[in-house]
Amino acid sequence: MPDNPSAWLVTTARNRAIDRIRRDRTLAAKLPLLDAPESAVDTVDDATIPDERLELVFTCCHPALSLDAQVALTLRTLGGLSTEQIARAFLVPEPTMAKRLVRPKHKIRDAGIPFRVPPDHLLPDRLAAVLAVVYLIFNEGYGGRGDLAAEAIRLGRALAELMPDEPEVRGLVALMLVNDARRDARFVDGTVILLRDQDRSLWDTEQIADGRAELERALALGGRGPYVLQAAIADLHADQPQDWPQLAALYAELARVTGSPVVELNRAAAIAEAGEVETALALVERLELDHYHYLHATRAELLSRFDRTDDARTAYGRALELVHSDAERRFLERRLAELEG
Amino acid sequence: MKYMLLIHQGSAPTPRSEEWDRLSEDEQKAVYADYKTINETPGVTSGLQMQGPEMATTVRVEDGEALTTDGPFVAVKDALGGYLFFEADDLDAAIELAARVPAARLGGAVEVRPIVEHERS
């Protein structure tokens, strides 16, 4: 056995000869992997198929499958969750989830979706798709269902083990660890608590340290991608006091990489915290995010700092029209009430 | 695996149209060159060239009687513009070929459909 079995595994998978007949036979032999038995919780473990989890995850997260299917298949085959557990996690009836799992399995077989680690020229895009699925699972859990967040972290760690040299994988793991460490402080009585108001004694400091160690590995590997940047931001947010100018700079870099106006909104909030409220408000008012309740909530916060109470009230009202989550709604209503008082 | 690639023109310009004339000479040459390269790719069986969808006649049968209408079954803009067959290792190879079809980048799209193979071992 080589010194680094994981790295060896990746290389072996990449270099696998493209012998069509053999490949077809391999694929046919692998299809049962997609049908992990319902009874066992952890069917796809290291002992049974030490060398094929990576191929499996790239197959499950193939862009020719719908995102819903990618998420469900990944949880089913790699996470080893039962159809019923996945159905419950996504609040759909079990037969619906069963259907969601069957169709993509047929497509994998009948449309010739390859069972392999993508070649180098496809790898960055495909890896991004895999990470997006894991992060989506995490965020489903971050909204309150902790089991999914833990599952996403487990998946992320497995990926980091399988692809030890990919900084974005480590960045994602770091991001999830640091955010998840604040879970207990994030909600009180079903209301969202802002970072600055959170009870820090509820933070899992050990997990934050784990996240920081992963982030350092990602940075050492030269990682500067969106997950690494988000992890660095989450990590800085865990510091007290927060380094707002540095945070604003990281958001600027993340906005450049992703082109996302939502990131620009976060940059504006960091600029405001750094003391440049006027610059922040000007930035917020330039953003085209009218449908996004956080834009109006942030704008309301900034306006209230200039004692523009009427404008702030209107902005909170607009945010309340757009908000979906009850926890967020209660938060906004409280801020609005504080404005009146 | 064998795939059929259905090329939908969408808003992609076709030769001799106004939109086509708006492309620079280099862009026009690139379109021809790309189709030539695709047709010469090993595994590709190029489709026969169809006349445009405005030349289409659509036939339905109701109560045993053939009813014909002028034009394609779908809207002209959604109609099939061309097709080809591709014998490839897997879907990734077919997707890569589809992405090189000029119509896909000029406002159209390519649909990749696996062909049913009855004698699979």
Side-chain angles (χ1 to χ4, degrees):
Chain A
M1 205 57 186
D3 290 337
N4 186 336
S6 307
W8 171 80
L9 208 136
V10 175
T11 316
T12 312
R14 274 186 196 158
N15 295 344
R16 185 172 286 177
I18 309 171
D19 175 335
R20 167 124 198 270
I21 296 161
R22 202 183 117 217
R23 190 197 56 81
D24 274 358
R25 245 180 238 148
T26 314
L27 178 59
K30 294 321 160 207
L31 281 168
L33 289 179
L34 296 167
D35 287 305
E38 288 282 335
S39 54
V41 170
D42 198 357
T43 45
V44 185
D45 68 3
D46 302 12
T48 47
I49 46 158
D51 58 340
E52 281 165 339
R53 282 180 299 163
L54 203 51
E55 285 91 337
L56 199 55
V57 76
F58 279 108
T59 304
C60 292
C61 299
H62 195 281
L65 302 172
S66 75
L67 190 58
D68 278 354
Q70 293 177 34
V71 167
L73 265 186
T74 301
L75 285 170
R76 181 77 194 84
T77 58
L78 259 96
L81 266 59
S82 71
T83 305
E84 193 214 333
Q85 285 172 311
I86 305 169
R88 211 181 317 131
F90 288 92
L91 310 173
V92 300
E94 194 180 337
T96 307
M97 186 51 75
K99 240 181 263 165
R100 206 183 277 181
L101 283 160
V102 166
R103 215 187 65 85
K105 280 191 247 180
H106 288 166
K107 186 166 183 187
I108 288 170
R109 185 189 62 206
D110 296 340
I113 290 178
F115 186 83
R116 63 166 183 193
V117 175
D120 284 349
H121 69 289
L122 294 177
L123 194 61
D125 281 355
R126 293 288 164 83
L127 180 58
V130 169
L131 298 181
V133 164
V134 174
Y135 195 39
L136 192 131
I137 293 168
F138 177 79
N139 282 321
E140 284 291 325
Y142 197 51
R145 293 194 295 278
D147 47 344
L148 276 182
E151 184 55 43
I153 291 173
R154 211 179 68 82
L155 285 169
R157 286 198 145 137
L159 290 175
E161 188 194 308
L162 292 164
M163 293 179 277
D165 297 332
E166 293 289 349
E168 279 290 89
V169 178
R170 298 204 176 268
L172 174 59
V173 172
L175 173 63
M176 294 191 295
L177 284 171
V178 173
N179 280 343
D180 184 66
R182 295 197 291 251
R183 161 185 318 284
D184 291 344
R186 199 165 168 263
F187 293 97
V188 170
D189 301 329
T191 305
V192 175
I193 305 295
L194 282 192
L195 193 62
R196 64 165 178 262
D197 300 326
Q198 287 176 7
D199 177 356
R200 285 170 178 252
S201 70
L202 296 174
W203 289 6
D204 183 340
T205 47
E206 205 174 305
Q207 195 174 314
I208 290 175
D210 277 359
R212 187 163 292 175
E214 283 294 337
L215 173 61
E216 273 162 16
R217 278 180 218 118
L219 292 169
L221 288 165
R224 301 292 182 272
Y227 288 110
V228 173
L229 289 169
Q230 287 178 84
I233 287 167
D235 180 60
L236 272 183
H237 274 305
D239 278 344
Q240 186 74 300
Q242 281 138 297
D243 184 343
W244 290 109
Q246 176 70 18
L247 277 163
L250 281 173
Y251 278 124
E253 179 59 13
L254 185 60
R256 195 186 62 77
V257 173
T258 61
S260 157
V262 172
V263 174
E264 280 287 85
L265 180 59
N266 283 304
R267 180 163 81 92
I271 291 172
E273 293 294 338
E276 295 175 49
V277 185
E278 234 160 298
T279 313
L281 186 58
L283 177 55
V284 167
E285 294 190 331
R286 270 208 310 276
L287 295 176
E288 288 177 14
L289 277 172
D290 189 54
H291 59 285
Y292 191 54
H293 74 268
Y294 282 120
L295 176 99
H296 301 286
T298 307
R299 192 165 165 266
E301 290 278 338
L302 298 177
L303 287 166
S304 70
R305 293 202 206 172
F306 287 110
D307 291 322
R308 287 169 60 182
T309 312
D310 286 346
D311 292 338
R313 193 182 297 121
T314 311
Y316 274 127
R318 180 85 182 109
L320 277 163
E321 282 170 25
L322 294 165
V323 75
H324 289 298
S325 139
D326 285 342
E328 308 263 14
R329 175 183 310 281
R330 279 190 288 274
F331 168 78
L332 289 170
E333 280 164 353
R334 201 173 40 135
R335 300 298 286 183
L336 185 57
E338 282 164 7
L339 198 64
E340 307 295 337
Chain B
M1 292 283 302
K2 199 168 185 187
Y3 298 91
M4 185 173 187
L5 273 60
L6 305 161
I7 301 163
H8 297 271
Q9 283 299 126
S11 59
T14 44
R16 290 179 302 279
S17 67
E18 266 176 53
E19 294 81 8
W20 176 260
D21 293 339
R22 246 176 268 139
L23 293 179
S24 73
E25 201 177 320
D26 282 351
E27 286 168 320
Q28 293 178 359
K29 275 188 189 152
V31 169
Y32 283 123
D34 287 347
Y35 276 115
K36 185 164 179 286
T37 312
I38 286 165
N39 287 332
E40 287 167 358
T41 301
V44 168
T45 307
S46 37
L48 300 172
Q49 197 181 351
M50 296 187 278
Q51 294 203 28
E54 16 347 293
M55 293 296 115
T57 304
T58 299
V59 182
R60 285 179 195 76
V61 177
E62 273 175 30
D63 301 324
E65 203 177 332
L67 301 173
T68 58
T69 45
D70 178 29
F73 178 54
V74 293
V76 168
K77 145 182 141 8
D78 300 323
L80 196 63
Y83 64 94
L84 59 88
F85 293 98
F86 187 36
E87 178 85 42
D89 277 334
D90 53 44
L91 183 60
D92 280 351
I95 290 171
E96 284 187 54
L97 185 78
R100 282 166 38 208
V101 174
R105 65 166 184 268
L106 294 169
V110 177
E111 185 177 318
V112 179
R113 292 280 285 269
I115 298 294
V116 175
E117 288 171 88
H118 290 287
E119 290 166 63
R120 294 182 63 190
S121 51

